[in-house]
Structures are given as C-alpha cells and as structure tokens.
C-alpha cells in the first residue's frame, strides 16, 4: 500500500539515526532458529586457582588442544556460588561444559575433552609410549607435585600464602589477609606432611628433584618433547609442576636455568603453537634416556601406589556395601618408608595405578614394565577397583580375593620397588647444587 513506506520511515525514525535498531531486529529475525541456538550456547569454562599445579596442567592441555574456554579464578565467592553447589566440596580445577555439565579432576577433564572434541590426540599412539605417558603423569600428579609444593610453601614467610589469600579474599583488609595467609600456610604444610613431605625430608627431596632434572635434561637433549616433536599429557603434567618451581620456589629459576634443554622445553610447552598439518616425529620405542626417566618415576610412584591398593582392599572389607571412598583410607607405617615418614593412603593414587594398567595393551605393558625392571607387575590386579564417578572416588563391590601377582607376593613387590627408590635416593648429597 501507499502508506507502507511512510510507516517504515516512521519506525526507522523512532528507532534512532539510520534505523539501526530496526535493521538489527529485522536481520536477526531472518536468521534460522537453530543457528541462533548454537550461538547462544555458552563456551567451556574453567574454574582454577592460580597456585594450583593441576589447574596449570589443564590450562596447558586446553591451549594445545586448541579448545576455546573462559577461565575464572576461584575467589571465596566463586567457591561458594559455583564450586560447592556443583561438586559438594572444594576441589579444583572444575570444568563446565556448554551444556552446563561439570567435570572435576584434571585427568577426568582431559579424558572428557579427548572423547568429545576433534583434533589430534595428545597421548602417544604407540602402546608402549602411551603406557609411559600415563606413568609419568601419575608420578607427576603425586610425588613431583607434592615435592614442588613443599619447596614452594615451606618456610614461615612463604610469600605464596599471601598471594593466595589475596586471591581468595580480594575484599579483605591487610590485617585479615595476614591472618588468612597464616592459617592457609599451616593447613597446606600439614597436608603435605601427611603425604610424606616435611622439614625432615627437605634434603632428600631436594636431592631427588635435582636427580630428576638431570634425567629429564638428558632425555630432552635427544627429543624436543618427551615423546617426539609434539607435546603429550606427560609434558603438560611435568611442565605445570616445573613452571611452579621456576616461578614460585626460592632459587627455582636458577635451578631450571642450570638445565638449558629443560629450560627451552619448558618455554615451548608454555607457548602453544598453532595446529600443524601432518604428524610430528615420534620417539621410536623406549630409548635409554626415556627408560631412565621412567625408572625414576616408577621408583617414586609405584611402591606407595601398591601399598595404597592394599589399604583400599582392607577398607572395602571393613566397610561392606559402601561405595564412596573417604579422602584417606589409612596411613603407612614409618618403618615401611625409606625416609621414616608416614604417608596417607589416598584412593586416587590407586586409581592412577590401575588406570595405567587397564588402558595398556597386555604385551606392551609387559615390555614396558620389563624395561624399567618391574616385569612382575604385568599381571597385577587389586582386590578392589577404584573409579572416578560423580566427582568422587568410588569402590566397586566385587571381591577379587587376594591381589594377583604372579611369582611374587604384593609385599615382596613393594619391597622390590622400595629398593629401587632407595638406590635413587643415594644422590641426596647433590642438593648442594641447589643450596650452595
């Protein structure tokens, strides 16, 4: 009709200059609904703590995987309004999907993304190297992370406590932050002590850290990353821990600088490259430098993991019918540890052990364990299986009887691995390279 152009002009004039708002509304109305729905979906979100090594590990993984995400630093308000309602506890990192599902635990987050997102897998394809990758990840997530955290937090005036207090309570005044920092410092050191790291283990732990860096330096002299020209989950786990050592620990930067190949590798892992076409060069088999690194990792990780699996089996027998495991299922005796310390038995340690075995091909598992002197563990099965479900470590209800270990009892296997760890600890005097 003749009145239509006039009405159109009137609407344009009412909406402002050039009819911008009207044009936008009209353009949106022409977009199919399914496209609008996709754009309205939220992106992945990651709730982290800046002082959490596990948070750094997941961040590195997502960047190399080229997954867009928004990161939220966990203040007290974020913990109260987001973390606790989702997982019923305080534990970071927390990963929130576009569908508003929640995934917690760094390993579970990476498993989730590997299943759901396209792109190059960041676990080696070859079976032996895949097993080695998970072994190094388990070692890093338990022993290496705790050792570095103790180095960062020990000392009455550790500055990291104040930094974390300011992150958690940004609205607090200086006096309140100081009190929070002291309480937080004491609690972190108490937890690390229950994991076997205290003032009495400083010299031995520092010596083992230097030994580990020497083995890593030797291997990285032959390979750009741990398993070739592309990083893996093991690279992210170890790099996250060593980045904290470099940035937060006293003399940490000087210690890393003494290992030039490790310094270069650490910088490369922390600077994700754009996706490349074609497969990267992989390390063939298990070279001697990698076997030495794996042997060290096994010596620190396997003895306590085996003892933890035994403790989980005992807990299951004492609590028939219960599924959810507590955070700790007991504590080791001082006489069972080379450093004369007591260590908590945590279900996640057994989960890491069995997870590594269950995902490995049988023949590759046997070859890998034989290469690092642990061939007798190839057929090991715990009495109870631990899984990670609904943000908790849970126990299955199947009693497998005694743990199966061909030609060797569980106790003897633990003793064997303790001997290996004792040999590795002979280099404790080398801590003078760190302390001067």
């Amino acid at each position: 009709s003749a009145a239509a152009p006039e009405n159109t002009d009137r609407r344009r004039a009412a909406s402002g200059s050039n009819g911008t708002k009207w044009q936008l509304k009209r353009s949106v109305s022409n977009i199919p609904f399914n496209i609008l729905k996709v754009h309205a979906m939220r992106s992945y979100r990651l709730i982290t703590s800046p002082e959490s090594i596990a948070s750094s590990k997941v961040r590195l993984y997502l960047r190399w995987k080229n997954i867009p995400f928004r990161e939220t630093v966990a203040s007290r308000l974020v913990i109260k309004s987001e973390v606790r309602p989702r997982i019923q506890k305080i534990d970071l990192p927390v990963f929130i999907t576009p569908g508003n599902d929640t995934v917690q635990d760094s390993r579970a987050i990476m498993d989730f993304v590997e299943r759901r997102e396209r792109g190059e897998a960041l676990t080696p394809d070859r079976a032996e190297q895949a097993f080695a990758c998970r072994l190094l990840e388990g070692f890093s997530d338990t022993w290496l992370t705790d050792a570095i955290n103790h180095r960062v937090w020990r000392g009455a005036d550790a500055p990291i406590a104040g930094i974390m207090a300011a992150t958690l309570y940004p609205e607090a005044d200086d006096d309140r932050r100081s009190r929070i920092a002291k309480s937080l410092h004491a609690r972190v050191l108490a937890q690390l002590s229950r994991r076997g790291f205290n003032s009495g283990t400083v010299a031995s732990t520092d010596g083992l850290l230097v030994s580990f860096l020497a083995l890593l330096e030797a291997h990285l002299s032959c390979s750009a990353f741990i398993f070739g020209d592309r990083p893996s989950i093991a690279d992210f786990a170890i790099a996250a821990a060593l980045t904290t050592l470099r940035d937060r620990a006293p003399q940490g930067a000087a210690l890393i600088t003494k290992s030039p190949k490790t310094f270069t590798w650490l910088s490369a892992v922390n600077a994700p490259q754009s996706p490349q076409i074609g497969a990267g060069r992989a390390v063939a088999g298990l070279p001697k430098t990698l076997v030495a690194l794996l042997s060290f990792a096994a010596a620190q990780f396997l003895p306590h993991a085996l003892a933890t699996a035994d403790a989980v089996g005992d807990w299951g027998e004492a609590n028939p019918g219960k599924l959810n495991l507590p955070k700790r299922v007991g504590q080791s005796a001082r006489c069972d540890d080379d450093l004369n310390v007591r260590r908590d038995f945590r279900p996640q340690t057994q989960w890491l052990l069995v997870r590594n075995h269950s995902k490995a091909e049988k023949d590759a598992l046997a070859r890998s364990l034989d290469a690092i002197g642990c061939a007798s563990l190839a057929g090991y099965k715990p009495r109870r299986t631990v899984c990670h479900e609904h943000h908790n470590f849970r126990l299955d209800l199947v009693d497998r009887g005694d743990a199966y270990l061909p030609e060797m009892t569980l106790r003897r296997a633990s003793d064997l691995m303790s001997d290996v760890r004792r040999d590795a600890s002979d280099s404790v005097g080398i801590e003078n390279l760190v302390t001067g």
Side-chain angles (χ1 to χ4, degrees):
S1 65
E6 182 180 351
N7 293 336
T8 298
D9 293 339
R10 188 179 296 115
R11 285 196 299 267
R12 288 179 177 174
S15 65
S17 61
N18 300 324
T20 305
K21 189 182 297 182
W22 178 81
Q23 290 175 1
L24 177 62
K25 195 177 295 183
R26 183 179 179 185
S27 63
V28 170
S29 66
N30 292 330
I31 299 176
F33 174 74
N34 60 338
I35 295 180
L36 282 176
K37 185 177 179 181
V38 169
H39 283 281
M41 290 176 64
R42 296 182 300 174
S43 63
Y44 285 114
R45 291 180 55 212
L46 183 67
I47 302 178
T48 64
S49 167
E51 312 308 331
S52 162
I53 292 176
S55 296
S56 300
K57 171 187 168 185
V58 174
R59 186 185 303 111
L60 287 173
Y61 166 79
L62 292 174
R63 288 176 177 174
W64 276 97
K65 190 72 175 178
N66 201 27
I67 302 295
F69 68 97
R70 292 185 294 121
E71 184 170 352
T72 301
V73 176
S75 65
R76 182 177 62 91
L77 180 60
V78 171
I79 290 173
K80 184 178 180 180
S81 61
E82 289 249 46
V83 176
R84 278 192 179 276
R86 288 179 178 275
I87 64 174
Q88 308 305 313
K89 58 183 178 180
I90 300 176
D91 209 346
L92 298 175
V94 169
F95 191 62
I96 304 171
T97 71
N100 205 33
D101 294 323
T102 304
V103 187
Q104 191 276 318
D105 187 275
S106 63
R107 280 108 7 185
I109 292 170
M110 292 186 292
D111 286 347
F112 176 89
V113 174
E114 287 291 309
R115 290 193 305 267
R116 300 296 181 92
E117 297 291 340
R118 296 179 179 180
E120 181 184 4
L122 295 174
T123 300
D125 294 332
R126 300 178 183 179
E128 291 180 8
Q129 294 176 359
F131 171 82
C133 179
R134 286 186 288 269
L135 176 59
L136 288 173
E137 182 189 14
F139 154 76
S140 179
D141 288 353
T142 53
W143 189 89
L144 183 61
T145 293
D146 287 342
I148 288 176
N149 274 333
H150 186 254
R151 186 176 181 123
V152 171
W153 284 84
R154 71 192 186 209
D157 56 347
I160 192 171
I163 296 172
M164 197 163 183
T167 302
L168 288 170
Y169 295 83
E171 76 287 353
D173 56 29
D174 292 342
D175 184 57
R176 187 184 176 197
R177 284 185 187 177
S178 178
R179 294 196 303 270
I180 293 169
K182 289 180 180 179
S183 174
L184 183 63
H185 183 257
R187 293 175 66 176
V188 169
L189 287 182
Q191 186 177 78
L192 290 172
S193 180
R194 291 195 298 269
R195 297 182 183 184
F197 296 89
N198 54 41
S199 58
T201 65
V202 169
S204 57
T205 300
D206 285 354
L208 290 172
L209 275 175
V210 173
S211 298
F212 170 72
L213 285 172
L215 293 171
L216 183 63
E217 178 75 6
H219 179 60
L220 293 175
S221 299
C222 311
S223 178
F225 296 97
I226 293 178
F227 296 100
D229 289 342
R230 298 286 180 84
S232 67
I233 288 173
D235 290 87
F236 305 139
I238 296 174
L242 293 186
T243 299
T244 298
L245 176 67
R246 181 194 66 188
D247 297 343
R248 297 298 192 193
Q251 291 84 45
L255 183 61
I256 297 294
T257 305
K258 292 179 181 178
S259 305
K261 296 295 184 181
T262 301
F263 181 85
T264 301
W265 162 82
L266 197 59
S267 300
V269 176
N270 278 282
Q273 304 166 6
S274 58
Q276 299 177 4
I277 299 176
R281 180 185 64 85
V283 172
L286 296 178
K288 291 182 179 180
T289 54
L290 180 57
V291 169
L293 196 64
L294 293 173
S295 298
F296 182 93
Q300 311 309 317
F301 172 63
L302 290 180
H304 188 65
L306 287 166
T308 300
D310 206 24
V312 168
D314 292 341
W315 187 92
E317 292 174 1
N319 298 272
K322 289 189 177 181
L323 284 176
N324 289 332
L325 286 157
K327 195 169 184 179
R328 297 180 290 274
V329 293
Q331 206 174 46
S332 65
R334 293 181 184 274
C335 59
D336 292 336
D337 193 279
D338 301 331
L339 301 177
N340 194 34
V341 294
R342 297 174 64 92
R343 299 179 65 186
D344 283 346
F345 292 131
R346 296 184 297 151
Q348 70 168 355
T349 305
Q350 185 201 334
W351 178 62
L352 289 171
L353 172 68
V354 178
R355 181 173 179 263
N356 202 357
H357 275 57
S358 62
K359 290 189 176 183
E361 295 180 6
K362 184 176 180 180
D363 292 341
L365 174 64
R367 290 193 299 270
S368 300
L369 288 172
D370 182 60
I372 61 176
C374 305
S376 60
L377 298 180
Y380 170 71
K381 294 180 181 178
R383 283 179 288 162
R384 291 288 197 273
T385 300
V386 174
C387 57
H388 188 262
E389 295 178 346
H390 307 295
H391 319 303
N392 286 299
F393 291 100
R394 310 185 78 181
L395 193 66
D396 72 357
L397 297 178
V398 179
D399 190 345
R400 304 182 187 279
D402 293 335
Y404 170 64
L405 198 58
E407 302 178 0
M408 188 172 290
T409 64
L410 178 64
R411 177 69 181 179
R412 188 178 170 194
S414 298
D415 291 343
L416 174 64
M417 291 308 306
S418 294
D419 290 341
V420 176
R421 185 168 62 181
R422 189 177 299 110
D423 292 339
S425 66
D426 286 343
S427 59
V428 292
I430 204 169
E431 70 270 12
N432 291 329
L433 294 175
V434 181
T435 60

